[in-house]
Amino acid sequence: MNTKMVKSTVVLAQISLVALFPLCMCYQTHESTSSASLSPQFYDNSCPNAQAIVQSYVAKAYSNDPRMAASILRLHFHDCFVNGCDASVLLDSSGTMESEKRSNANRDSARGFEVIDEIKSALENECPETVSCADLLALVARDSIVICGGPSWEVNLGRRDAREASLSGSMENIPSPESTLQTIVNMFNLQGLDLTDLVALLGSHTIGNSRCIGFRQRLYNHTGNNDRDQTLNQDYASMLQQGCPISGNDQNLFNLDYVTPTKFDNYYFKNLVNFRGLLSSDEILYTQSSETMEMVKFYAENEEAFFEQFAKSIVKMGNISPLTGTDGEIRRICRRVNHDV
């Protein structure tokens, strides 16, 4: 794409985003960064159109497939929880390096890599070897939420990209739909994220989908005695069983928030209060801890408070162990380290 085409696309995207979300709430997070070199202004001189280019391609991807917003947001989470926010999740297997895409958390479910490839290509066209893939993931996370009607925030920038992936880290550090609350708390604490961050960030499940295999046990064999999860609304459970039988149809998709599935709002928390959280790892926020229960009830009643805390918590998450300065590299292609390009 030439420069004129990029600028034209950027202008159209800016117009479309303003038209879609004229009342978008932008939050000042006032979070300290993990490194003094991370800054929202990092590319102001070296690639001033970077954020507008990213916005334009997120808008295009969302227009083509609204589900993509949650998919590319999820990549940022799964990246940051494995050795920090360094775009390791994007690397394909190469030589002795095994891709994180093969982990249980990502295999058959992580998607949106082609969208990242397309955005990166446009950024390389505009400013070669300047904008990192790690920063790209942080930007698409913010823009995906905005385009779904959620909050906005200033994204700290200046991360660099890892030269290695960690399949073992991806296997060990990302919660599963069956994780206990204590396991999830421990995994978040390991990343420097507290209980408030945990509840707010899991609120991102107000958009996106889960496969039948991710919650089938709740429907048919919750405790190992061929029983149904009693913390799951029974009418809702019966509805789920119609598309998620006791065997087969593992890949059938279900909305994490069945009420407003493509809107970033606080219905995730309202659903939990009504025992209609799809995943066990979500519903336990309301059923297994009085502290998290109170936060769930608070966010169910106060969407603005949820938006404000979510913005703070995702900025905090985005600051996990960034590579800066001369560490790592700026990948030219997000799937491969530069010496393999």
Side-chain angles (χ1 to χ4, degrees):
M1 182 180 291
N2 61 38
T3 302
K4 181 178 288 186
M5 290 177 67
V6 169
K7 290 181 178 177
S8 175
T9 305
V10 167
V11 171
L12 287 173
Q14 290 172 328
I15 292 171
S16 65
L17 286 172
V18 170
L20 282 168
F21 306 114
L23 299 179
C24 167
M25 288 179 282
C26 301
Y27 292 96
Q28 298 293 324
T29 60
H30 302 296
E31 288 286 335
S32 60
T33 64
S34 301
S35 169
S37 57
L38 290 186
S39 163
Q41 293 79 38
F42 190 83
Y43 297 115
D44 282 3
N45 295 321
S46 59
C47 195
N49 288 329
Q51 296 200 44
I53 291 170
V54 173
Q55 285 179 355
S56 72
Y57 279 89
V58 170
K60 175 186 172 184
Y62 180 80
S63 177
N64 291 336
D65 177 9
R67 182 182 162 216
M68 190 57 69
S71 297
I72 55 181
L73 166 63
R74 186 170 181 254
L75 291 178
H76 185 44
F77 279 77
H78 285 208
D79 180 43
C80 291
F81 270 61
V82 181
N83 296 337
C85 307
D86 59 5
S88 60
V89 71
L90 301 178
L91 288 169
D92 289 338
S93 295
S94 175
T96 59
M97 181 178 68
E98 292 188 272
S99 174
E100 293 169 21
K101 298 173 186 179
R102 295 182 176 182
S103 73
N104 293 337
N106 295 323
R107 188 177 60 249
D108 299 327
S109 63
R111 62 195 292 268
F113 299 107
E114 294 80 9
V115 173
I116 301 300
D117 291 341
E118 190 177 11
I119 301 173
K120 179 59 173 172
S121 178
L123 290 170
E124 286 296 301
N125 224 14
E126 177 81 4
C127 2
E129 299 181 56
T130 302
V131 181
S132 70
C133 301
D135 280 343
L136 172 51
L137 287 178
L139 288 169
V140 298
R142 189 266 313 272
D143 295 343
S144 295
I145 288 171
V146 170
I147 208 164
C148 290
S152 186
W153 59 90
E154 285 192 320
V155 178
N156 289 316
L157 301 166
R159 302 168 190 81
R160 290 168 65 85
D161 300 324
R163 294 190 176 98
E164 296 181 355
S166 176
L167 177 59
S168 61
S170 189
M171 295 287 283
E172 296 167 2
N173 296 334
I174 298 174
S176 77
E178 295 84 25
S179 292
T180 65
L181 181 58
Q182 190 57 57
T183 295
I184 300 172
V185 169
N186 291 344
M187 288 180 172
F188 272 71
N189 287 346
L190 187 66
Q191 307 300 335
L193 300 171
D194 61 24
L195 203 59
T196 300
D197 299 317
L198 185 159
V199 175
L201 290 172
L202 285 184
S204 63
H205 284 178
T206 187
I207 57 174
N209 305 87
S210 174
R211 296 172 295 159
C212 166
I213 195 172
F215 60 88
R216 174 184 280 130
Q217 187 172 351
R218 299 188 74 196
L219 302 177
Y220 302 104
N221 193 29
H222 183 59
T223 65
N225 294 311
N226 298 316
D227 57 339
R228 183 185 286 181
D229 185 350
Q230 295 304 302
T231 67
L232 182 62
N233 177 280
Q234 299 304 291
D235 290 337
Y236 183 48
S238 296
M239 181 184 74
L240 294 172
Q241 286 179 321
Q242 295 176 21
C244 185
I246 195 167
S247 64
N249 296 324
D250 288 358
Q251 304 304 317
N252 283 3
L253 291 174
F254 294 78
N255 295 315
L256 290 168
D257 169 7
Y258 77 101
V259 181
T260 56
T262 60
K263 184 179 180 183
F264 196 96
D265 55 22
N266 67 335
Y267 260 94
Y268 166 82
F269 298 104
K270 293 180 180 180
N271 292 336
L272 298 187
V273 170
N274 291 315
F275 303 101
R276 290 172 181 257
L278 183 63
L279 304 180
S280 172
S281 54
D282 288 327
E283 191 61 54
I284 56 178
L285 295 181
Y286 190 68
T287 61
Q288 292 192 8
S289 160
S290 59
E291 192 172 357
T292 57
M293 173 189 278
E294 289 306 311
M295 283 188 263
V296 167
K297 290 195 292 188
F298 178 58
Y299 293 145
E301 297 167 359
N302 192 328
E303 183 175 82
E304 186 171 355
F306 163 51
F307 279 11
E308 184 173 358
Q309 184 57 53
F310 182 88
K312 291 178 180 178
S313 294
I314 199 168
V315 168
K316 185 176 176 182
M317 185 191 78
N319 292 337
I320 296 172
S321 304
L323 298 173
T324 58
T326 59
D327 292 335
E329 64 183 14
I330 305 298
R331 283 185 225 140
R332 295 190 290 275
I333 297 174
C334 290
R335 293 173 179 269
R336 298 196 291 273
V337 296
N338 288 337
H339 66 70
D340 287 340
V341 174

